[in-house]
Amino acid sequence: MKRIGLFGGSFDPIHKAHVEIAMCAIEQLHLDEVQLIPTRHNPWKNQSCASAQDRIEMIRIAIQDYPSLTINTIEIEDGGEDKNYTIHTIEKLIHQHPDVQYYYIMGMDQANAFDQWKKAKRISQLVHLIAFQRGGYQPHLDIINKYHFQLLENQPVYASSSDVRNGHIEMLDSNVLRYISYHGLYLETMVSSRMKEKRWKHTCSVAKLAKKIAKANHLDSRQAYIAGIMHDVAKEMDKDMAQKIMEKHFSEYLAKPYPIWHQWLSRYVSEHEFLIDDAVVLKAIEDHTTASIGISPIGKCLYVADKLDPLRGYDSSKQIEICLHDIHQGFRNSLIDFYEFSKRRTERLMNVFMKFTIFMLRKGKNK
Ligand SMILES: Nc1ncnc2c1ncn2[C@@H]1O[C@H](COP(=O)(O)OP(=O)(O)O)[C@@H](O)[C@H]1O
C-alpha cells in the first residue's frame, strides 16, 4: 500500500523548516511521498499576503530538488465554498485513492489547536495524525493523546512564515528569495523592519511615485517600484559594517562623503542579501543620490521621485507633472534645481556633484 504524507499550510511563503519537516516525515515514517497542499483560504488566518499562484510557484521552486516532495493544489482548485476545511480535502483524496494510506502532518502549534478543527475526531479516524516539534510550542498531551497523534523526533526550529515576511530572509531557499524579490512580494514588510518609521514612509512614497512616473512614460513600473522600495534599505546600516563593505566592494568611492555611501550600500544589500539580479534595478539604486552619466530611464524615475517626494514638505506637484509627461525633461529640471541650490552652498557634499551636473546639463537632452 502506498504511504503518502499530506502537509497543508498557507506557505506564505514556504520556508526551509517546511521542507525539512516534510523530508524528516519521509525518513521517519518511511513515506513514498509528501504532498504539500497550499490552502486557498486558511480558516485560522483571514488573509494571506501572496496570491495562490505565487504561493504555488514558490513551493514548486523550493521542492524542485526533492523528487519525493510534490505539490497538490486540490484546495486552491476547489472554488466551491468560501473556506476549505481539511476534512473535505481528506475525504476527497480517500475517495479518489482508496488504496493509499494517508499521514496528515503538522507542526505542534497546529496539533495543540486540533480540538478546534472541523470534524477533528473524524479526521483522526481517517488518517494517521503526525505532529512535529516546533520551536516555542510544548505538546498539549491531552490533545495529542485524545487524537492519537504520533510525535516525530525532530530538532525544534523557530522559523515561521510571518518571521520571513518581517525580514528574516535567511529562512528562505535562495531561489524562492529570488522569486520574491523579482516580483516584489512581501518586500514592504521585509524592508520596513530595517528602518525608522519616518524613513519607511518616505520609502513607500518614493516607490509609489517612481512607479507612477515609469508607468506614465511607458517604462517597466515593476522595476521602478522595486528600485524605490530598496533605494534606502542600507541607510541605517551600522557604520562599521558600512565601512567594511565600502572598503571591500566600493573602494573607489570611499573618499565620497558618508551621507551618499548608502546608494552603493543599498545596491549591495539588494544584490547580495535580497538576491536581486536585475541590472537595471541595481543601477537605479546606485544612481539615486548622485545620478550618473549612464543613468537609465528607470534610474531617472527613481532619482526624481526621491527628490520630488511630496513628503519632503514643499510643493513639487508641477515638477511631478512634467516628469509624468516626459521623464527626460523632468530629470533635467531636477538637475537644474540641484545646480541652482548647490551654487548657493559651499559644502563638500554639494561640490562633489557639481562637475557631473554641469556635464549633464551641457550634454543636452540626454535620452
Ligand atoms: N518551524 C516549524 N516547525 C514545525 N512546524 C512548522 C514550522 N513552521 C511551520 N510549521 C508547520 O507547517 C505547516 C504550515 O504552516 P504555515 O501556516 O504555512 O506556516 P507558518 O506556521 O510558518 O506561518 C503547519 O502545520 C505548521 O505547524
PDB file of all heavy atoms in Angstrom, residues 7-11 15 17-18 21 45 106-107 109-110 133-134 157-162, ligand 1:
ATOM      1  N   PHE A   7       0.632  17.520   3.803  1.00  0.00           N
ATOM      2  CA  PHE A   7       1.170  18.618   4.611  1.00  0.00           C
ATOM      3  C   PHE A   7       0.509  19.913   4.146  1.00  0.00           C
ATOM      4  O   PHE A   7       0.869  20.474   3.118  1.00  0.00           O
ATOM      5  CB  PHE A   7       2.696  18.655   4.426  1.00  0.00           C
ATOM      6  CG  PHE A   7       3.429  19.593   5.333  1.00  0.00           C
ATOM      7  CD1 PHE A   7       2.881  20.012   6.536  1.00  0.00           C
ATOM      8  CD2 PHE A   7       4.695  20.052   4.991  1.00  0.00           C
ATOM      9  CE1 PHE A   7       3.574  20.874   7.383  1.00  0.00           C
ATOM     10  CE2 PHE A   7       5.397  20.913   5.820  1.00  0.00           C
ATOM     11  CZ  PHE A   7       4.838  21.320   7.019  1.00  0.00           C
ATOM     12  N   GLY A   8      -0.498  20.331   4.893  1.00  0.00           N
ATOM     13  CA  GLY A   8      -1.242  21.531   4.493  1.00  0.00           C
ATOM     14  C   GLY A   8      -0.693  22.789   5.157  1.00  0.00           C
ATOM     15  O   GLY A   8      -0.078  22.713   6.218  1.00  0.00           O
ATOM     16  N   GLY A   9      -0.919  23.921   4.539  1.00  0.00           N
ATOM     17  CA  GLY A   9      -0.482  25.187   5.148  1.00  0.00           C
ATOM     18  C   GLY A   9      -0.682  26.345   4.192  1.00  0.00           C
ATOM     19  O   GLY A   9      -0.982  26.151   3.017  1.00  0.00           O
ATOM     20  N   SER A  10      -0.496  27.551   4.723  1.00  0.00           N
ATOM     21  CA  SER A  10      -0.610  28.728   3.846  1.00  0.00           C
ATOM     22  C   SER A  10       0.619  28.824   2.938  1.00  0.00           C
ATOM     23  O   SER A  10       0.538  29.332   1.828  1.00  0.00           O
ATOM     24  CB  SER A  10      -0.677  30.021   4.658  1.00  0.00           C
ATOM     25  OG  SER A  10      -1.404  29.852   5.815  1.00  0.00           O
ATOM     26  N   PHE A  11       1.781  28.410   3.473  1.00  0.00           N
ATOM     27  CA  PHE A  11       3.040  28.520   2.732  1.00  0.00           C
ATOM     28  C   PHE A  11       3.169  29.932   2.126  1.00  0.00           C
ATOM     29  O   PHE A  11       3.322  30.106   0.928  1.00  0.00           O
ATOM     30  CB  PHE A  11       3.146  27.441   1.649  1.00  0.00           C
ATOM     31  CG  PHE A  11       3.050  26.047   2.217  1.00  0.00           C
ATOM     32  CD1 PHE A  11       1.955  25.243   1.961  1.00  0.00           C
ATOM     33  CD2 PHE A  11       4.046  25.557   3.044  1.00  0.00           C
ATOM     34  CE1 PHE A  11       1.846  23.970   2.517  1.00  0.00           C
ATOM     35  CE2 PHE A  11       3.956  24.287   3.605  1.00  0.00           C
ATOM     36  CZ  PHE A  11       2.852  23.485   3.343  1.00  0.00           C
ATOM     37  N   HIS A  15       9.128  28.113   3.660  1.00  0.00           N
ATOM     38  CA  HIS A  15      10.477  28.377   4.170  1.00  0.00           C
ATOM     39  C   HIS A  15      11.215  27.059   4.420  1.00  0.00           C
ATOM     40  O   HIS A  15      10.636  25.976   4.227  1.00  0.00           O
ATOM     41  CB  HIS A  15      10.439  29.273   5.414  1.00  0.00           C
ATOM     42  CG  HIS A  15       9.526  28.797   6.503  1.00  0.00           C
ATOM     43  ND1 HIS A  15       9.798  27.680   7.257  1.00  0.00           N
ATOM     44  CD2 HIS A  15       8.347  29.285   6.965  1.00  0.00           C
ATOM     45  CE1 HIS A  15       8.836  27.509   8.149  1.00  0.00           C
ATOM     46  NE2 HIS A  15       7.919  28.465   7.986  1.00  0.00           N
ATOM     47  N   ALA A  17      12.105  25.395   7.042  1.00  0.00           N
ATOM     48  CA  ALA A  17      11.588  24.424   8.029  1.00  0.00           C
ATOM     49  C   ALA A  17      10.499  23.550   7.399  1.00  0.00           C
ATOM     50  O   ALA A  17      10.407  22.363   7.709  1.00  0.00           O
ATOM     51  CB  ALA A  17      11.044  25.146   9.262  1.00  0.00           C
ATOM     52  N   HIS A  18       9.682  24.124   6.518  1.00  0.00           N
ATOM     53  CA  HIS A  18       8.640  23.325   5.862  1.00  0.00           C
ATOM     54  C   HIS A  18       9.265  22.138   5.121  1.00  0.00           C
ATOM     55  O   HIS A  18       8.801  21.012   5.222  1.00  0.00           O
ATOM     56  CB  HIS A  18       7.850  24.173   4.854  1.00  0.00           C
ATOM     57  CG  HIS A  18       6.982  25.223   5.484  1.00  0.00           C
ATOM     58  ND1 HIS A  18       6.937  26.525   5.042  1.00  0.00           N
ATOM     59  CD2 HIS A  18       6.104  25.170   6.516  1.00  0.00           C
ATOM     60  CE1 HIS A  18       6.076  27.221   5.755  1.00  0.00           C
ATOM     61  NE2 HIS A  18       5.560  26.427   6.670  1.00  0.00           N
ATOM     62  N   ILE A  21      10.838  19.547   7.512  1.00  0.00           N
ATOM     63  CA  ILE A  21       9.809  18.728   8.163  1.00  0.00           C
ATOM     64  C   ILE A  21       9.305  17.650   7.203  1.00  0.00           C
ATOM     65  O   ILE A  21       9.194  16.482   7.564  1.00  0.00           O
ATOM     66  CB  ILE A  21       8.618  19.618   8.605  1.00  0.00           C
ATOM     67  CG1 ILE A  21       9.027  20.447   9.803  1.00  0.00           C
ATOM     68  CG2 ILE A  21       7.388  18.789   8.921  1.00  0.00           C
ATOM     69  CD1 ILE A  21       8.104  21.614  10.044  1.00  0.00           C
ATOM     70  N   LYS A  45      -6.601  31.988   9.483  1.00  0.00           N
ATOM     71  CA  LYS A  45      -5.988  33.276   9.117  1.00  0.00           C
ATOM     72  C   LYS A  45      -6.932  33.957   8.142  1.00  0.00           C
ATOM     73  O   LYS A  45      -7.444  33.327   7.242  1.00  0.00           O
ATOM     74  CB  LYS A  45      -4.632  33.050   8.433  1.00  0.00           C
ATOM     75  CG  LYS A  45      -3.605  32.432   9.350  1.00  0.00           C
ATOM     76  CD  LYS A  45      -2.318  32.139   8.609  1.00  0.00           C
ATOM     77  CE  LYS A  45      -1.344  31.400   9.506  1.00  0.00           C
ATOM     78  NZ  LYS A  45      -0.150  30.953   8.810  1.00  0.00           N
ATOM     79  N   MET A 106       1.652  17.905  10.701  1.00  0.00           N
ATOM     80  CA  MET A 106       1.506  19.329  11.084  1.00  0.00           C
ATOM     81  C   MET A 106       2.489  19.679  12.200  1.00  0.00           C
ATOM     82  O   MET A 106       2.976  18.787  12.910  1.00  0.00           O
ATOM     83  CB  MET A 106       0.079  19.612  11.544  1.00  0.00           C
ATOM     84  CG  MET A 106      -0.322  18.875  12.796  1.00  0.00           C
ATOM     85  SD  MET A 106      -2.073  19.104  13.193  1.00  0.00           S
ATOM     86  CE  MET A 106      -2.873  17.950  12.078  1.00  0.00           C
ATOM     87  N   GLY A 107       2.761  20.957  12.350  1.00  0.00           N
ATOM     88  CA  GLY A 107       3.626  21.427  13.443  1.00  0.00           C
ATOM     89  C   GLY A 107       2.855  21.408  14.763  1.00  0.00           C
ATOM     90  O   GLY A 107       1.623  21.330  14.778  1.00  0.00           O
ATOM     91  N   ASP A 109       2.153  23.661  16.891  1.00  0.00           N
ATOM     92  CA  ASP A 109       1.179  24.749  17.087  1.00  0.00           C
ATOM     93  C   ASP A 109      -0.197  24.318  16.581  1.00  0.00           C
ATOM     94  O   ASP A 109      -1.221  24.524  17.241  1.00  0.00           O
ATOM     95  CB  ASP A 109       1.629  26.033  16.365  1.00  0.00           C
ATOM     96  CG  ASP A 109       1.875  25.803  14.872  1.00  0.00           C
ATOM     97  OD1 ASP A 109       2.493  24.786  14.509  1.00  0.00           O
ATOM     98  OD2 ASP A 109       1.429  26.641  14.058  1.00  0.00           O
ATOM     99  N   GLN A 110      -0.199  23.659  15.433  1.00  0.00           N
ATOM    100  CA  GLN A 110      -1.463  23.203  14.835  1.00  0.00           C
ATOM    101  C   GLN A 110      -2.034  22.023  15.622  1.00  0.00           C
ATOM    102  O   GLN A 110      -3.232  21.939  15.864  1.00  0.00           O
ATOM    103  CB  GLN A 110      -1.245  22.775  13.384  1.00  0.00           C
ATOM    104  CG  GLN A 110      -0.736  23.865  12.478  1.00  0.00           C
ATOM    105  CD  GLN A 110      -1.842  24.821  12.072  1.00  0.00           C
ATOM    106  OE1 GLN A 110      -3.006  24.478  12.103  1.00  0.00           O
ATOM    107  NE2 GLN A 110      -1.476  26.026  11.717  1.00  0.00           N
ATOM    108  N   GLN A 133       7.798  18.604  16.349  1.00  0.00           N
ATOM    109  CA  GLN A 133       8.240  19.607  17.325  1.00  0.00           C
ATOM    110  C   GLN A 133       8.383  20.937  16.587  1.00  0.00           C
ATOM    111  O   GLN A 133       8.780  20.961  15.425  1.00  0.00           O
ATOM    112  CB  GLN A 133       9.608  19.235  17.908  1.00  0.00           C
ATOM    113  CG  GLN A 133       9.674  17.867  18.541  1.00  0.00           C
ATOM    114  CD  GLN A 133       8.795  17.763  19.776  1.00  0.00           C
ATOM    115  OE1 GLN A 133       8.453  18.767  20.408  1.00  0.00           O
ATOM    116  NE2 GLN A 133       8.378  16.544  20.102  1.00  0.00           N
ATOM    117  N   ARG A 134       8.018  21.993  17.273  1.00  0.00           N
ATOM    118  CA  ARG A 134       8.225  23.314  16.689  1.00  0.00           C
ATOM    119  C   ARG A 134       8.736  24.233  17.781  1.00  0.00           C
ATOM    120  O   ARG A 134       8.180  24.232  18.892  1.00  0.00           O
ATOM    121  CB  ARG A 134       6.897  23.853  16.134  1.00  0.00           C
ATOM    122  CG  ARG A 134       7.045  25.233  15.532  1.00  0.00           C
ATOM    123  CD  ARG A 134       5.819  25.681  14.792  1.00  0.00           C
ATOM    124  NE  ARG A 134       6.129  26.910  14.066  1.00  0.00           N
ATOM    125  CZ  ARG A 134       5.378  27.486  13.161  1.00  0.00           C
ATOM    126  NH1 ARG A 134       4.229  26.934  12.832  1.00  0.00           N
ATOM    127  NH2 ARG A 134       5.747  28.598  12.566  1.00  0.00           N
ATOM    128  N   VAL A 157      12.606  23.850  15.345  1.00  0.00           N
ATOM    129  CA  VAL A 157      13.109  25.021  14.609  1.00  0.00           C
ATOM    130  C   VAL A 157      12.139  26.166  14.870  1.00  0.00           C
ATOM    131  O   VAL A 157      10.929  25.947  14.986  1.00  0.00           O
ATOM    132  CB  VAL A 157      13.160  24.722  13.079  1.00  0.00           C
ATOM    133  CG1 VAL A 157      13.748  25.886  12.321  1.00  0.00           C
ATOM    134  CG2 VAL A 157      13.950  23.459  12.808  1.00  0.00           C
ATOM    135  N   TYR A 158      12.680  27.394  14.940  1.00  0.00           N
ATOM    136  CA  TYR A 158      11.811  28.535  15.261  1.00  0.00           C
ATOM    137  C   TYR A 158      11.266  29.261  14.022  1.00  0.00           C
ATOM    138  O   TYR A 158      10.534  30.216  14.165  1.00  0.00           O
ATOM    139  CB  TYR A 158      12.564  29.539  16.147  1.00  0.00           C
ATOM    140  CG  TYR A 158      12.636  29.084  17.591  1.00  0.00           C
ATOM    141  CD1 TYR A 158      13.634  28.220  18.015  1.00  0.00           C
ATOM    142  CD2 TYR A 158      11.676  29.493  18.517  1.00  0.00           C
ATOM    143  CE1 TYR A 158      13.688  27.782  19.337  1.00  0.00           C
ATOM    144  CE2 TYR A 158      11.727  29.057  19.829  1.00  0.00           C
ATOM    145  CZ  TYR A 158      12.735  28.200  20.231  1.00  0.00           C
ATOM    146  OH  TYR A 158      12.775  27.768  21.532  1.00  0.00           O
ATOM    147  N   ALA A 159      11.626  28.801  12.831  1.00  0.00           N
ATOM    148  CA  ALA A 159      11.216  29.529  11.621  1.00  0.00           C
ATOM    149  C   ALA A 159       9.703  29.625  11.489  1.00  0.00           C
ATOM    150  O   ALA A 159       8.981  28.704  11.871  1.00  0.00           O
ATOM    151  CB  ALA A 159      11.762  28.795  10.398  1.00  0.00           C
ATOM    152  N   SER A 160       9.234  30.736  10.965  1.00  0.00           N
ATOM    153  CA  SER A 160       7.803  30.848  10.631  1.00  0.00           C
ATOM    154  C   SER A 160       7.654  31.788   9.439  1.00  0.00           C
ATOM    155  O   SER A 160       8.515  32.644   9.196  1.00  0.00           O
ATOM    156  CB  SER A 160       6.998  31.378  11.819  1.00  0.00           C
ATOM    157  OG  SER A 160       7.177  32.769  11.927  1.00  0.00           O
ATOM    158  N   SER A 161       6.558  31.617   8.722  1.00  0.00           N
ATOM    159  CA  SER A 161       6.356  32.467   7.539  1.00  0.00           C
ATOM    160  C   SER A 161       6.219  33.930   7.937  1.00  0.00           C
ATOM    161  O   SER A 161       6.650  34.816   7.203  1.00  0.00           O
ATOM    162  CB  SER A 161       5.104  32.027   6.781  1.00  0.00           C
ATOM    163  OG  SER A 161       5.289  30.731   6.289  1.00  0.00           O
ATOM    164  N   SER A 162       5.621  34.186   9.100  1.00  0.00           N
ATOM    165  CA  SER A 162       5.457  35.604   9.458  1.00  0.00           C
ATOM    166  C   SER A 162       6.819  36.214   9.781  1.00  0.00           C
ATOM    167  O   SER A 162       7.058  37.387   9.477  1.00  0.00           O
ATOM    168  CB  SER A 162       4.440  35.806  10.580  1.00  0.00           C
ATOM    169  OG  SER A 162       4.827  35.095  11.702  1.00  0.00           O
TER     170      SER A 162
HETATM  171  N1  LIG B   1       9.361  25.884  12.302  1.00  0.00           N
HETATM  172  C1  LIG B   1       8.408  24.968  12.209  1.00  0.00           C
HETATM  173  N2  LIG B   1       8.481  23.830  12.922  1.00  0.00           N
HETATM  174  C2  LIG B   1       7.495  22.900  12.846  1.00  0.00           C
HETATM  175  N3  LIG B   1       6.376  23.021  12.084  1.00  0.00           N
HETATM  176  C3  LIG B   1       6.273  24.141  11.353  1.00  0.00           C
HETATM  177  C4  LIG B   1       7.269  25.165  11.363  1.00  0.00           C
HETATM  178  N4  LIG B   1       6.864  26.145  10.530  1.00  0.00           N
HETATM  179  C5  LIG B   1       5.690  25.750  10.031  1.00  0.00           C
HETATM  180  N5  LIG B   1       5.322  24.561  10.507  1.00  0.00           N
HETATM  181  C6  LIG B   1       4.113  23.819  10.183  1.00  0.00           C
HETATM  182  O1  LIG B   1       3.934  23.893   8.792  1.00  0.00           O
HETATM  183  C7  LIG B   1       2.551  23.877   8.486  1.00  0.00           C
HETATM  184  C8  LIG B   1       2.224  25.009   7.546  1.00  0.00           C
HETATM  185  O2  LIG B   1       2.430  26.203   8.220  1.00  0.00           O
HETATM  186  P1  LIG B   1       2.122  27.638   7.622  1.00  0.00           P
HETATM  187  O3  LIG B   1       0.920  28.176   8.274  1.00  0.00           O
HETATM  188  O4  LIG B   1       2.153  27.605   6.145  1.00  0.00           O
HETATM  189  O5  LIG B   1       3.440  28.366   8.030  1.00  0.00           O
HETATM  190  P2  LIG B   1       3.837  29.170   9.332  1.00  0.00           P
HETATM  191  O6  LIG B   1       3.237  28.420  10.507  1.00  0.00           O
HETATM  192  O7  LIG B   1       5.323  29.163   9.297  1.00  0.00           O
HETATM  193  O8  LIG B   1       3.250  30.530   9.146  1.00  0.00           O
HETATM  194  C9  LIG B   1       1.812  23.947   9.822  1.00  0.00           C
HETATM  195  O9  LIG B   1       1.438  22.645  10.174  1.00  0.00           O
HETATM  196  C10 LIG B   1       2.876  24.437  10.777  1.00  0.00           C
HETATM  197  O10 LIG B   1       2.654  23.971  12.078  1.00  0.00           O
END
